Amino acid sequence: MLALSPMNGVRAFERYINFDLAPQPLGTALVAFANQTGMTALVDGELASGLQSSSVIGRFSPQDALQVLLAGTGLVIRYAGANAFTVGLPPPQASVGTQRSPWSPVQ
């Protein structure tokens, strides 16, 4: 697991930031994203291994920039607060007629 810590305490979702992140290995891109936004990220290094980020160029909210950054990776974001998130695999899809556990995330 990689834990990426914020550089500052500014609430990440309350502003727009000019991003200039080129496509790069996903782990490296997430470190750059965390440093630029001040957010804390928890990422499984094995999941990120071999994956490439999309470029993020322009003025975005951190939420939107992170969506663009992860586009095409198959990974999803789970927010753990205003300044923290994890990146992981999406939950498995229930097949037709399968009962959902009461503790399953709503999709």
Side-chain angles (χ1 to χ4, degrees), residues 23-85:
Q24 56 193 298
L26 186 58
T28 305
L30 288 167
V31 169
F33 176 86
N35 286 336
Q36 188 167 356
T37 62
M39 296 181 76
T40 299
L42 183 60
V43 182
D44 182 336
E46 287 187 30
L47 276 180
S49 179
L51 295 177
Q52 187 84 358
S53 74
S54 295
S55 65
V56 183
I57 299 172
R59 189 168 177 81
F60 295 92
S61 70
Q63 290 171 297
D64 291 341
L66 189 53
Q67 289 287 343
V68 172
L69 187 83
L70 293 174
T73 64
L75 300 178
V76 296
I77 307 156
R78 291 179 186 91
Y79 290 98
N83 290 321
F85 66 92

Side-chain angles (χ1 to χ4, degrees), residues 8-24:
N8 60 51
V10 176
R11 293 183 58 86
F13 293 135
E14 295 178 356
R15 66 192 189 296
Y16 285 83
I17 299 171
N18 289 319
F19 289 91
D20 188 10
L21 300 172
Q24 56 193 298

